[in-house]
Amino acid sequence: MAIRVAIVGLGSRGQDWVREIRTDTGYELVACVDTDGDALQLAATKLNVPQGQLFKTLANALDAANCDAVIVAAATDYHTEICEAALERGLGVLVEKPFTLRLDDAVNLVRLAEQKKAPLVVAQNYRYMRAYRTAQRLVREGALGQIGLIACQYFRVPHEMAPSLARLTNSILWGMGIHHLDALRYILGQEVVGVLAENFTLSDGQLPQGASLQTLLAFENGTRAVYTATYESSGHEFFERGQEFYARLTGQHATLHVFQRWLFLCARGKWPRPVKRGARTMSEERVLLRQLERALLHDEEPESSGRDNLQTMAIAE
């Protein structure tokens, strides 16, 4: 029997989840929730969601529809109360990143989920992009040897973003940094034990404090990382939709360069060689849905669980 799902938040990510659920035979969409009437109407016309499945509050949706799980794609500052409402009813939850805006709230939600024996998955989908999975494989196989230093940079030109993100302090951290910091943990299989960070906005910037970020990270096995990210870059508006990402992992035996979706391995004494990412057998969202499904049906601990994500939330905090 298909897992019955309610989706909360019908912005761009919520719409993505509607499409993903509809193409997954393991799931059935039974409710869509948004406090914005225009968003509900858009779901009805653009996504062909029946009027009987549209609700302005989660409580009404859960009272009317027999749900097994809730996908939370609403603005980040509402994540805590939405997750809590679903978990209180013992429902499985898949919540978009960032999990919450405060570590204390994330800890309380994990405790509630474990108390209710309800699965809690955080949608850190960058873990499952092919470039990151390939980097993880090379690290785990020992192709680089012990990793000593990582340099990671992300640049994006000023752009239109969701108002819920644009109004936040530390927008670059919550919008993209949370992805990259989590992905570094995933690739290395190490936890962070020290953080030194500076957040700022350029003098001519239009966003609140924290549109740019510089961070030094110390990992438990001695690896050090330098991470820089900004929403205030310029000069590359026509490349990759105004985004640039580069990571350099320096190991004992080799250095791995990751530039957008291209990877190059430079082993000592050998010519640099490109590394294939492999076929994309399923979307990153589908990987997360499989984790939620196995947790609901077989009590399997999700790889991207709320408890695992507490370390990422601690780094962010």
Side-chain angles (χ1 to χ4, degrees):
M1 179 178 290
I3 295 167
R4 296 164 61 86
V5 176
I7 296 175
V8 185
L10 294 174
S12 59
R13 283 301 287 164
Q15 293 174 39
D16 289 342
W17 282 113
V18 169
R19 298 184 188 97
E20 200 71 43
I21 289 294
R22 283 181 161 171
T23 58
D24 193 315
T25 57
Y27 287 84
E28 178 186 356
L29 180 65
V30 296
C32 289
V33 182
D34 202 298
T35 57
D36 185 345
D38 291 339
L40 293 176
Q41 187 57 43
L42 181 65
T45 56
K46 181 180 177 181
L47 301 174
N48 296 315
V49 178
Q51 289 290 340
Q53 293 184 356
L54 300 174
F55 301 88
K56 280 202 166 186
T57 71
L58 178 59
N60 288 343
L62 297 183
D63 288 340
N66 182 23
C67 295
D68 303 304
V70 172
I71 294 177
V72 183
T76 305
D77 34 4
Y78 295 105
H79 282 189
T80 299
E81 62 182 85
I82 297 170
C83 289
E84 185 175 19
L87 292 171
E88 283 286 2
R89 297 191 185 217
L91 303 177
V93 170
L94 193 159
V95 55
E96 271 291 345
K97 66 81 200 167
F99 186 2
T100 62
L101 291 176
R102 288 170 43 84
L103 178 59
D104 284 350
D105 291 334
V107 169
N108 289 336
L109 289 174
V110 168
R111 287 174 177 163
L112 178 60
E114 293 175 350
Q115 175 190 338
K116 296 290 184 178
K117 297 183 174 15
L120 176 57
V121 179
V122 181
Q124 295 283 178
N125 61 304
Y126 271 43
R127 291 183 175 198
Y128 306 110
M129 290 181 172
R130 287 180 290 165
Y132 295 103
R133 298 188 80 162
T134 303
Q136 184 210 41
R137 175 178 59 80
L138 292 170
V139 169
R140 300 292 169 87
E141 290 175 353
L144 281 69
Q146 174 66 33
I147 307 296
L149 181 65
I150 297 174
C152 186
Q153 300 172 321
Y154 173 82
F155 303 97
R156 186 165 186 177
V157 299
H159 60 286
E160 184 177 354
M161 62 180 75
S164 59
L165 176 60
R167 70 172 180 256
L168 288 179
T169 301
N170 301 316
S171 55
I172 187 63
L173 173 64
W174 301 123
M176 289 304 302
I178 199 79
H179 273 309
H180 297 140
L181 296 170
D182 183 79
L184 286 175
R185 289 183 54 226
Y186 180 72
I187 290 169
L188 293 178
Q190 297 183 38
E191 299 298 8
V192 170
V193 295
V195 179
L196 178 65
E198 177 188 19
N199 66 345
F200 55 95
T201 296
L202 298 181
S203 59
D204 59 346
Q206 302 300 309
L207 293 172
Q209 174 73 7
S212 295
L213 173 69
Q214 296 183 124
T215 307
L216 302 177
L217 303 171
F219 288 84
E220 59 187 343
N221 290 351
T223 304
R224 298 293 189 270
V226 180
Y227 174 67
T228 302
T230 182
Y231 279 150
E232 303 178 287
S233 185
S234 63
H236 52 100
E237 289 83 355
F238 304 107
F239 175 78
E240 294 287 318
R241 293 179 296 174
Q243 300 185 81
E244 288 185 17
F245 174 80
Y246 170 70
R248 175 188 176 115
L249 287 75
T250 303
Q252 290 173 306
H253 309 313
T255 292
L256 177 67
H257 300 268
V258 182
F259 181 65
Q260 303 291 113
R261 66 184 69 86
W262 300 281
L263 296 91
F264 294 88
L265 184 64
C266 302
R268 287 188 176 181
K270 297 182 179 179
W271 289 102
R273 67 176 179 88
V275 180
K276 291 184 178 180
R277 296 177 299 160
R280 188 175 191 253
T281 56
M282 66 175 69
S283 70
E284 296 81 31
E285 289 74 21
R286 191 66 58 91
V287 174
L288 292 161
L289 288 175
R290 293 284 75 78
Q291 291 185 29
L292 179 61
E293 179 182 43
R294 291 193 295 270
L296 283 166
L297 300 181
H298 306 295
D299 294 324
E300 182 178 316
E301 178 72 8
E303 182 178 58
S304 190
S305 68
R307 175 160 289 283
D308 174 81
N309 202 250
L310 292 180
Q311 169 70 201
T312 299
M313 284 299 304
I315 299 168
E317 182 131 320

